[in-house]
Amino acid sequence: MLKDYEHNAKYYETDQMGCVHHSNYIRWMEEARVDLMDQMGCGYRAMEEAGVCSPVLEVNCRYKSMVRFGDTVRIHAWIKEYNGIRMTIGYEMRDVSSGELRTRAESAHCFLTLDGRPVSLKRSYPEWDKLFRNMSEMEAGKGE
């Protein structure tokens, strides 16, 4: 069972209104995504050492309630869609102490060689393809 990622909001992440600036949620998504992939056994370091990168194609973030300095958010990240060439990762951020929903988001990615050519994990890295497919199917079975 994979663990959710937790982040404690830092003072420097806040804006003049005393809440976390919206751009930081995107950074937290990346932290959670890197952690998810490490836990799955196909982290970014291993992928890059194998000559594969997974750039961000798109980000969508829906802010539901504010995070303030000192709050800790639990970020549940999961593979929402995966087809061997592209994937979408979903994120749900909740306040650890109250459980209140703070943000729902997703990021879309593809797989490329380090020189920018598309890669099919199914064809070139079947062990990773299987991990991504299993994670995607497992989350689909939960009904998100």
Side-chain angles (χ1 to χ4, degrees):
M1 185 79 177
L2 301 179
K3 295 180 188 174
D4 290 340
Y5 182 78
E6 289 190 4
H7 181 87
N8 182 265
K10 311 294 186 258
Y11 183 76
Y12 68 83
E13 294 173 318
T14 61
D15 61 17
Q16 189 175 7
M17 297 185 314
C19 61
V20 170
H21 188 269
H22 67 275
S23 65
N24 289 296
Y25 294 80
I26 307 304
R27 290 182 179 95
W28 300 352
M29 290 164 57
E30 183 167 335
E31 292 172 13
R33 181 174 66 252
V34 168
D35 183 66
L36 171 69
M37 291 176 68
D38 282 343
Q39 289 186 66
M40 288 173 52
C42 55
Y44 276 97
R45 184 177 308 271
M47 290 179 74
E48 289 176 356
E49 287 173 357
V52 177
C53 62
S54 183
V56 175
L57 301 173
E58 180 180 335
V59 173
N60 181 345
C61 199
R62 293 169 297 284
Y63 305 99
K64 301 293 188 177
S65 60
M66 288 186 257
V67 177
R68 299 188 180 279
F69 166 63
D71 290 351
T72 300
V73 290
R74 179 171 294 120
I75 305 169
H76 176 62
W78 70 95
I79 298 176
K80 190 172 179 177
E81 297 173 9
Y82 172 77
N83 69 9
I85 299 169
R86 292 178 64 137
M87 74 173 166
T88 300
I89 299 181
Y91 308 86
E92 188 174 89
M93 301 180 199
R94 291 188 175 273
D95 184 81
V96 167
S97 60
S98 71
E100 183 178 357
L101 178 64
R102 299 296 190 202
T103 306
R104 279 202 177 107
E106 59 184 41
S107 59
H109 306 262
C110 65
F111 299 97
L112 303 174
T113 61
L114 296 181
D115 61 356
R117 290 177 295 168
V119 173
S120 166
L121 293 188
K122 184 175 185 176
R123 214 172 317 128
S124 302
Y125 300 91
E127 67 284 356
W128 290 343
D129 178 70
K130 185 176 180 180
L131 285 171
F132 283 110
R133 283 188 195 283
N134 288 344
M135 287 301 299
S136 177
E137 291 167 5
M138 187 171 66
E139 284 294 333
K142 290 181 183 177
E144 283 186 49

